[in-house]
Amino acid sequence: MTEAIKTKYETVIGLEVHAEMKTDSKMFCGCAVVDSTSAPPNTTVCPVCSGMPGTLPVVNRKAVEFGMKVALALGCTINQTSIFARKNYFYPDMPKGYQISQYELPLAEHGQIVINTPRGEETIRVTRVHLEEDAGKLTHIENNGVSHSLVDLNRAGVPLLEIVSEPDIRSVEGARAYGEALRQIVRYLDVNSGDMEKGVIRFEANISIRPTGSEEFGTRVEVKNLNSFRTMERAIEFETERQARVLQAGGSIDQETLGWNEANSSTYSMRSKEDAHDYRYFPEPDLPPLVVDQAWIDVVRASLPELPRARYLRFKEEYQLTDYAASVLTADRATADYFEAVLEHVPTSVSPKIVSNWVTGELFALINQAGTGIEVIKVQPEALAGLVRSVAEGQINPNTGKTVLGEMFTSGRGAEEIVAARGLKQVSDTDFIARIVKDALDENPEEVALYQAGKESVANWLFGQVMRKAKGKANPQVVRAELEKQLTKL
Ligand code: ADP
Ligand code: ZN
Ligand code: MG
């Protein structure tokens, strides 16, 4: 985006997010919810979710509970009575000819998400949270020059939660931060895997621009089916520039629904406001109003875990961690739980910062290398605590510690066991260290001469020679002190 456009116009964004709920069964029938990217097509389908006439929907209590969890986590007010409505349209992935959704009276309203952007902390208001059902999936193929559309109804009727924001977002960074925060919340609540590649959480961006300083909103477009944060960012950047060019040229923006063309990195028109859908919403006659009483709301509220932002703020405050460390350690619940479990097992003399360095440094590196997740690694928090303690207490030096952790990671054995078996115990014996320092200096007269001629960096090289002689086991602090002593005495 050019700087001129960035300063002349302000981008205004409102996001609509669809998140499938990770329930066992579908929203209105008993069919299992399966991975729609891998399960054989049309294997979890019944008369209800395939839209046979004469069938009746029954609301999935778990889906309502999951929806309430998200709504409460967003600080929304739950409507004790909400109404299911029919949203009528025809599409081959929607055999009933309508989607059961919520319209005038959604499950919940008036929440917010706090995000960090380059401009500081921002609060984005959440307009509404409502329950609906997902549609099936279409795959378009070509066979001998003939186009076919294949319909898979496994996803039809999967519980879907729609979360709509106010047009409070003002930047690409804000849109990403909001999207990531919402994804993190549904993952903390364990109601959605957050797996964007599988399409279980999907984003639509409403985008308009206005002259910087103006109070009035411009005309918005809606960009559908953004399947990654990167795509969302690019679509927002593209639209900001496109709309700015139109306004600069004296034109006006059409309110339309757009798609994103990955190949051309541009948006394209799907339909204009003129041919906007008339969904002819009306209350679903086959379902009574959805009633949730205060007692149920209280139970669900009490079941909420500590939420990501609260945990992030607490980690910074209680453990004195940097913004970065606190945010990566609270990125998901498993990592935050792991870190706190390690803390419980180290002596109080070991600071949280040291534990944080081990987890976000060496352990994350091993996990990334192995392409695995912290929930399944062989190094239990107690075991990592044992290693960190051994290093802190000087039984092994930090470098040996890294080697030992690598071995713990592959074998699942404990630190002490590995140190004993491989004779890695750190040597702090000053007589021994004095002897190998002397040997190193005797063997390298040229480097010593360079040092004496003022090239002090040679000391580091000599340090390396001593450590090699000690097979890495010497206490580095003792070696440094002894080396300095002997070099100055020369
Ligand atoms: P629709 O059914 O037309 O999609 P919704 O109420 O579901 O309407 O969603 C409207 C979305 O558009 C909300 O996220 C809202 O914040 C956003 N929005 C409304 N006006 C603007 C605007 N001028 N610029 C950007 N976003 C807007
Ligand atoms: Zn079914
Ligand atoms: Mg919309």
Side-chain angles (χ1 to χ4, degrees):
M1 221 182 289
T2 66
E3 280 311 309
I5 289 176
K6 264 192 187 160
T7 47
K8 185 155 183 207
Y9 294 102
E10 179 177 54
T11 312
V12 172
I13 305 152
L15 292 180
E16 292 169 70
V17 181
H18 285 95
E20 283 180 9
M21 293 291 99
K22 234 170 65 175
T23 46
D24 293 335
S25 60
K26 293 188 182 180
M27 187 68 217
F28 301 114
C29 63
C31 289
V33 170
V34 294
D35 180 347
S36 60
T37 61
S38 64
N42 298 308
T43 46
T44 57
V45 181
C46 75
V48 174
C49 56
S50 60
M52 293 296 159
T55 57
L56 287 174
V58 178
V59 173
N60 180 339
R61 188 182 165 88
K62 201 80 189 169
V64 177
E65 185 191 311
F66 282 6
M68 284 162 69
K69 279 191 179 200
V70 176
L72 291 170
L74 300 177
C76 290
T77 308
I78 306 272
N79 290 321
Q80 294 200 14
T81 301
S82 59
I83 307 285
F84 285 105
R86 284 192 186 178
K87 181 179 182 179
N88 297 280
Y89 65 93
F90 176 76
Y91 207 64
D93 62 5
M94 187 62 118
K96 289 201 294 285
Y98 59 85
Q99 176 193 32
I100 304 179
S101 180
Q102 294 191 305
Y103 186 55
E104 274 161 9
L105 253 185
L107 177 69
E109 295 169 276
H110 313 305
Q112 76 278 318
I113 295 182
V114 178
I115 56 172
N116 289 336
T117 73
R119 308 197 302 189
E121 198 174 279
E122 294 182 50
T123 300
I124 309 301
R125 290 169 299 161
V126 170
T127 317
R128 53 189 272 139
V129 173
H130 74 242
L131 282 163
E132 55 187 34
E133 56 179 333
D134 209 344
K137 245 176 104 161
L138 297 182
T139 309
H140 306 287
I141 59 160
E142 198 152 296
N143 204 352
N144 294 327
V146 184
S147 307
H148 299 268
S149 290
L150 307 178
V151 184
D152 176 10
L153 294 182
N154 282 348
R155 205 179 67 179
V158 168
L160 203 58
L161 201 66
E162 177 167 344
I163 302 121
V164 182
S165 87
E166 290 290 312
D168 286 347
I169 302 166
R170 294 287 176 272
S171 62
V172 170
E173 295 84 0
R176 177 185 270 266
Y178 176 92
E180 285 182 343
L182 185 52
R183 177 173 176 271
Q184 191 184 21
I185 289 168
V186 295
R187 294 187 68 218
Y188 260 65
L189 297 171
D190 201 20
V191 299
N192 181 291
S193 68
D195 202 338
M196 295 181 75
E197 270 147 44
K198 291 193 170 159
V200 297
I201 181 163
R202 313 191 285 268
F203 292 79
E204 284 160 28
N206 294 270
I207 308 159
S208 64
I209 62 169
R210 61 182 176 187
T212 305
S214 156
E215 294 285 316
E216 239 172 278
F217 286 143
T219 305
R220 69 175 157 116
V221 299
E222 177 171 345
V223 190
K224 292 269 183 204
N225 305 329
L226 300 166
N227 52 18
S228 73
F229 289 130
R230 186 72 203 110
T231 308
M232 179 168 76
E233 290 173 333
R234 293 171 68 201
I236 294 168
E237 275 173 6
F238 179 87
E239 271 304 306
T240 303
E241 255 183 43
R242 183 189 70 80
Q243 294 179 24
R245 270 200 310 274
V246 171
L247 295 186
Q248 296 276 48
S252 59
I253 307 298
D254 295 328
Q255 184 173 341
E256 52 186 348
T257 302
L258 307 174
W260 175 252
N261 183 325
E262 190 62 47
N264 305 337
S265 297
S266 62
T267 57
Y268 64 92
S269 182
M270 290 168 79
R271 57 176 184 263
S272 71
K273 200 190 175 187
E274 282 71 49
D275 47 53
H277 276 127
D278 175 3
Y279 293 117
R280 292 167 291 120
Y281 278 101
F282 62 87
E284 166 61 61
D286 290 339
L287 286 170
L290 174 63
V291 177
V292 297
D293 60 17
Q294 190 58 46
W296 192 14
I297 297 174
D298 293 342
V299 169
V300 175
R301 195 192 299 278
S303 78
L304 295 182
E306 186 180 22
L307 293 164
R309 185 152 186 98
R311 206 164 189 186
Y312 159 80
L313 294 172
R314 180 170 66 78
F315 272 32
K316 284 211 302 182
E317 165 87 22
E318 188 176 333
Y319 304 135
Q320 298 290 303
L321 299 177
T322 60
D323 287 354
Y324 172 77
S327 95
V328 296
L329 287 172
T330 56
D332 56 72
R333 246 170 105 178
T335 305
D337 289 347
Y338 188 99
F339 171 73
E340 292 203 287
V342 179
L343 276 187
E344 269 176 37
H345 290 92
V346 291
T348 45
S349 58
V350 176
S351 74
K353 195 175 153 44
I354 288 176
V355 174
S356 157
N357 288 343
W358 276 100
V359 173
T360 63
E362 288 310 307
L363 190 66
F364 276 13
L366 289 165
I367 288 172
N368 288 341
Q369 221 168 31
T372 179
I374 203 165
E375 330 68 91
V376 294
I377 58 173
K378 289 182 190 157
V379 183
Q380 294 303 304
E382 296 86 323
L384 181 60
L387 173 78
V388 174
R389 189 181 51 226
S390 297
V391 175
E393 290 173 354
Q395 281 133 19
I396 52 177
N397 73 38
N399 250 331
T400 307
K402 291 179 189 174
T403 314
V404 172
L405 182 58
E407 202 167 316
M408 292 164 70
F409 194 84
T410 40
S411 71
R413 287 157 72 206
E416 281 186 19
E417 200 186 326
I418 295 168
V419 169
R422 297 200 23 201
L424 293 171
K425 229 179 169 68
Q426 172 164 276
V427 180
S428 300
D429 173 23
T430 41
D431 288 345
F432 168 74
I433 288 176
R435 199 153 18 86
I436 54 172
V437 168
K438 184 166 186 308
D439 290 348
L441 297 187
D442 289 348
E443 286 162 23
N444 297 288
E446 280 170 30
E447 280 73 16
V448 171
L450 273 175
Y451 177 85
Q452 285 173 311
K455 199 165 178 231
E456 292 191 1
S457 60
V458 174
N460 277 332
W461 184 84
L462 289 165
F463 171 78
Q465 299 306 304
V466 179
M467 290 304 276
R468 182 175 306 170
K469 277 183 176 298
K471 299 201 174 62
K473 290 186 288 184
N475 181 327
Q477 272 146 342
V478 179
V479 172
R480 275 203 195 283
E482 183 60 31
L483 186 63
E484 207 177 299
K485 195 168 113 193
Q486 294 198 22
L487 279 172
T488 43
K489 264 203 311 206
L490 284 174

